Amino acid sequence: MSLATVGIIFASYFLITSINASGEDSQHYTWKNVEIGGGGFVPGIIFSPLKRDLIYARTDIGGAYKWNPSTGRWVQLLNWVSASDWDLLGIDSIAADPVNVNRVYALAGTYTNSWDPNNGTVLRSDNQGSTWSRYRLPFKVGGNMPGRGMGERIAVDPNNNNILYLGARSGNGLWKSTNAGQTWSKVSNFPVTGTFAEDPTNDYGKDPLGISWIKFDDKSKKNGKSQTIYVMAAETSVAPIYVSKDAGLTWSVVAGQPIGYLPHRAAVAPDGNFYLSYSNQGGPYDGTLGYVYKYSPSSGNWTDITPVRGSSFGYGGITVDRLNPKTIMVAALNQWWPDSNIWRSTDGGATWNAFWTFGNYPEKNLRYTLNISSVPWLDLKTGVSAPEPAVKLGWMMESLEIDPFNSDRFILPGTGMTLYGSNDLTNFENPSSTVTIQPLVLGQEEVAVIDLISPPTGPVLHSSIADISGFTHYDLTKPPDQVSIEPRFTSGRSIDYAELKPSFIVRSGDASGSHIAFSSDSGSTWTAAATEPAGVTGGGILAVAADASIVLWAPGGSAGVFYTTDNGTTWTTVAGLPAGAYIGADRVNPLKFYATSANIVYLSLDGGKTFNSSINLSFAINSNRPLKGVPGTEGTVFACLQGGLAVSVNSGVSFNNASTSVSFCGSYGFGIAGPGPYSVAIYLAGTVDRQSGIFRSDNGGKSWFKINDNAHQYGSLNFAITGDLRTYGRVFVATNGLGIVYGTKNNVATTIKSTTATKTTTTKTTKTSSIKTA
């Protein structure tokens, strides 16, 4: 579907007559992640029981990873997920096949509530995640729902790997496959569905957690399959754990088990004993009470082996050393202050030793050292004082795994921002030694990116990121030294710079304190606004005048749009704009600003102080920043719409279709132009000629190069994309859970100078659009 033409005829608005037109681009792109080093929650670590160093990690919105032992890095397995299949990036469970070392399963789907219209999927790989087959389920899956740290919800029979069981959410019960995950049928005789809900009062928390983990007894083989199967249903008013001794024909409650709390995880030792962690909530970021139990199936005895009966935390990750079956470890779940803890026992839970204890308050005695030099930004500079450490061991500690082939190695998703690991765990047995813990997260990039800028000078990239704040990148190949601080936002929302004075940058975000900050030195230092308009509750969106003289801000929760001429000392309400309008600055004329709300475009000619409506767009706006002025060209502004990409060359008085080939715009941005008569390259995440992907146009949208392939699709790309204004062909793309990715033309080896403002000429053009191979 194309945009209706309104007003003027399309213009060759980027004309620079001194540069020759380029020929067809036949080069390919290389895609990488900008190095942040983690940044998101990892609910589960899964070791293959068959092969040393074959390790998988699942994330709640950022896909699944496999460990590469030769590089010491994680490899993303789901970059191929397209925008239409974005829900596949929420992984609720992983099962490494205990018979076929090459086979692995992932239970994919992000939300079970109204946020996600899609049913879940079982992904199966027969080559350790290199390629996948997809099998749709008749119900939703919740990789980013409450209880996602419990598990695992999918399990393979070790005595017949064609048989799998799957625990569903939302009251959908227990399911079984007899053909290696290709088809599924409900286990109709399983008596409960797991009715516990985190918070019945809201749409996110009211969904029942369902069947949360499944365990087979590998020693119970008969008639070609395991006879004994344990299943945990999220119940607190009745017994949660059931067992079948006849391969699922009948089910009964496991006798003697505790009732009232949720068994988050169960570790089964080689001797058959179960070790179970409990919490009074589903997690991963709540729970105030819990305990640890040992269960002996041979005797039927349950033993309370809780290390510490806490009054402010439950228990999450629990693991057994398979080479030393009486050695177990358990992690506190949401022990927020002063830090979370881990306990280790070498006698089956009869006695415990903690990773830290209190000394002379506020001192702590640590049995570990924490080295974050590989990911230095994990020191969030929060200004805490003892006994609270500057860098915490964790809080959302839902998974804790000792390597089944190496008693010295364990992996811990300690916080909601990183993975920790150690290779000298048995040092713990020596009271005079310490265990060395460090981030084990390189290669994992699991942040949700909201906004990006790549100014023509200074650091190459600045980002606004959900749950973390954001980063300034001087080097794309190394994690930054710190997050954006002073102030540090709980979530970054918007960032912009002055095109003619690019060292001036402003960012906004959600926070309990200041919501907007200013920098005059390219982000090296930041100053929070001295005041804020009344009623501000979130970062909203901002726009900076081309010469840094004025900043416009449409903050979250406020009843208007505001401007400041003194970096936030005072604020004045903008006249003529509705609250919540999307705003953007002209990149040449500091007196021009653009805005849109409810498909109406507004124009300001007095530095954003007053606006007047100019035109009603034919399609609904899209993207986090739908209106963008073109660097170096006054009065040219693009609009990202659900029906395509529009452009105005007369300061928003009228708009025309920028390209008849573009039928959907998710996000777009500009980068330095290549050889030719156009002043910028346009980058687009959207749909061109019925193909979805990432595209570049070097001629104002008349034709497009598709610059990504099916292996590099990165899910939903609706937030931000920006070209590099120094290096032709390089583009930065914000993803929702896969970090910041960037593509580089393989034949790019030089840097091109930034564009400057030029005059435009208007000519009538007959337009045809096509996709070329980049």
Side-chain angles (χ1 to χ4, degrees), residues 396-701:
M396 297 158 65
M397 297 163 69
E398 284 274 33
S399 183
L400 169 64
E401 302 294 336
I402 299 174
D403 189 331
F405 298 94
N406 181 0
S407 298
D408 264 322
R409 177 158 71 171
F410 84 99
I411 301 177
L412 167 73
T415 73
M417 296 185 293
T418 195
L419 280 177
Y420 289 130
S422 173
N423 290 310
D424 58 6
L425 178 58
T426 56
N427 280 359
F428 196 87
E429 268 56 84
N430 183 350
S432 63
S433 297
T434 58
V435 176
T436 302
I437 298 175
Q438 55 192 349
L440 195 70
V441 75
L442 294 182
Q444 283 197 12
E445 298 293 342
E446 198 211 346
V447 293
V449 185
I450 308 300
D451 207 0
L452 295 171
I453 59 170
S454 180
T457 62
V460 66
L461 187 67
H462 302 263
S463 56
S464 289
I465 293 177
D467 297 330
I468 291 181
S469 189
F471 294 96
T472 295
H473 270 86
Y474 294 84
D475 186 338
L476 302 177
T477 65
K478 296 179 181 179
D481 289 339
Q482 63 182 34
V483 298
S484 301
I485 58 173
E486 297 175 357
R488 182 177 73 89
F489 304 135
T490 53
S491 285
R493 292 297 173 190
S494 184
I495 189 166
D496 196 13
Y497 69 97
E499 193 71 45
L500 305 180
K501 190 179 178 181
S503 61
F504 183 80
I505 304 174
V506 186
R507 61 186 175 91
S508 65
D510 304 339
S512 58
S514 300
H515 296 84
I516 189 168
F518 302 78
S519 176
S520 59
D521 55 11
S522 297
S524 295
T525 61
W526 296 91
T527 301
T531 66
E532 292 185 0
V536 174
T537 60
I541 190 171
L542 55 83
V544 180
D547 64 354
S549 59
I550 296 176
V551 175
L552 266 64
W553 188 24
S558 184
V561 181
F562 306 89
Y563 71 87
T564 180
T565 59
D566 50 20
N567 293 354
T569 301
T570 60
W571 295 91
T572 304
T573 302
V574 169
L577 278 186
Y582 292 91
I583 50 179
D586 192 273
R587 308 312 287 183
V588 176
N589 187 338
L591 296 178
K592 286 184 180 180
F593 282 85
Y594 312 102
T596 182
S597 178
N599 298 0
I600 299 174
V601 174
Y602 299 82
L603 172 65
S604 173
L605 299 175
D606 59 1
K609 298 174 182 178
T610 61
F611 279 79
N612 292 296
S613 60
S614 62
I615 191 173
N616 192 346
L617 295 171
S618 303
F619 285 83
I621 60 171
N622 207 21
S623 139
N624 186 43
R625 192 179 288 277
L627 293 180
K628 291 184 180 181
V630 173
T633 307
E634 180 182 346
T636 298
V637 58
F638 278 76
C640 188
L641 308 177
Q642 293 182 16
L645 186 66
V647 64
S648 171
V649 295
N650 56 7
S651 302
V653 173
S654 57
F655 277 79
N656 194 40
N657 193 347
S659 173
T660 57
S661 298
V662 179
S663 57
F664 174 78
C665 172
S667 57
Y668 72 107
F670 309 107
I672 191 74
Y678 294 85
S679 67
V680 292
I682 308 173
Y683 295 92
L684 172 80
T687 304
V688 177
D689 284 344
R690 297 178 298 280
Q691 293 187 42
S692 295
I694 305 170
F695 302 87
R696 189 190 78 242
S697 177
D698 294 330
N699 56 12

Side-chain angles (χ1 to χ4, degrees), residues 9-26:
I9 297 174
F10 188 84
S12 57
Y13 41 84
F14 305 131
L15 187 62
I16 302 177
T17 57
S18 60
I19 298 178
N20 294 325
S22 62
E24 182 171 335
D25 183 356
S26 60

Side-chain angles (χ1 to χ4, degrees), residues 230-536:
Y230 294 88
V231 176
M232 194 286 281
E235 302 280 359
T236 55
S237 59
V238 297
I241 304 174
Y242 284 74
V243 64
S244 174
K245 299 285 184 70
D246 52 15
L249 293 178
T250 60
W251 299 89
S252 60
V253 169
V254 176
Q257 65 180 289
I259 298 174
Y261 289 1
L262 296 169
H264 273 229
R265 287 187 172 266
V268 184
D271 60 11
N273 287 320
F274 276 60
Y275 296 93
L276 302 101
S277 60
Y278 286 78
S279 178
N280 62 346
Q281 294 289 324
Y285 30 66
D286 57 6
T288 56
L289 296 170
Y291 38 67
V292 181
Y293 267 81
K294 177 181 180 179
Y295 169 60
S296 171
S298 60
S299 67
N301 292 334
W302 287 82
T303 306
D304 186 344
I305 58 170
T306 307
V308 174
R309 187 72 71 185
S311 60
S312 61
F313 60 88
Y315 287 93
I318 192 165
T319 185
V320 174
D321 185 344
R322 297 195 66 80
L323 303 179
N324 300 283
K326 290 188 180 298
T327 296
I328 58 177
M329 293 170 63
V330 67
L333 179 59
N334 298 314
Q335 185 179 4
W336 296 97
W337 188 93
D339 196 359
S340 201
N341 213 337
I342 302 170
W343 292 266
R344 180 174 169 92
S345 173
T346 56
D347 55 14
T351 61
W352 296 90
N353 289 296
F355 269 49
W356 65 263
T357 57
F358 275 115
N360 294 324
Y361 188 87
E363 296 177 358
K364 297 204 305 292
N365 302 314
L366 303 181
R367 297 294 313 280
Y368 68 93
T369 59
L370 184 56
N371 178 1
I372 63 163
S373 58
S374 62
V375 189
W377 65 262
L378 287 171
D379 184 349
L380 299 176
K381 313 292 186 185
T382 54
V384 298
S385 57
E388 193 170 6
V391 182
K392 291 198 171 188
L393 187 59
W395 49 83
M396 297 158 65
M397 297 163 69
E398 284 274 33
S399 183
L400 169 64
E401 302 294 336
I402 299 174
D403 189 331
F405 298 94
N406 181 0
S407 298
D408 264 322
R409 177 158 71 171
F410 84 99
I411 301 177
L412 167 73
T415 73
M417 296 185 293
T418 195
L419 280 177
Y420 289 130
S422 173
N423 290 310
D424 58 6
L425 178 58
T426 56
N427 280 359
F428 196 87
E429 268 56 84
N430 183 350
S432 63
S433 297
T434 58
V435 176
T436 302
I437 298 175
Q438 55 192 349
L440 195 70
V441 75
L442 294 182
Q444 283 197 12
E445 298 293 342
E446 198 211 346
V447 293
V449 185
I450 308 300
D451 207 0
L452 295 171
I453 59 170
S454 180
T457 62
V460 66
L461 187 67
H462 302 263
S463 56
S464 289
I465 293 177
D467 297 330
I468 291 181
S469 189
F471 294 96
T472 295
H473 270 86
Y474 294 84
D475 186 338
L476 302 177
T477 65
K478 296 179 181 179
D481 289 339
Q482 63 182 34
V483 298
S484 301
I485 58 173
E486 297 175 357
R488 182 177 73 89
F489 304 135
T490 53
S491 285
R493 292 297 173 190
S494 184
I495 189 166
D496 196 13
Y497 69 97
E499 193 71 45
L500 305 180
K501 190 179 178 181
S503 61
F504 183 80
I505 304 174
V506 186
R507 61 186 175 91
S508 65
D510 304 339
S512 58
S514 300
H515 296 84
I516 189 168
F518 302 78
S519 176
S520 59
D521 55 11
S522 297
S524 295
T525 61
W526 296 91
T527 301
T531 66
E532 292 185 0
V536 174

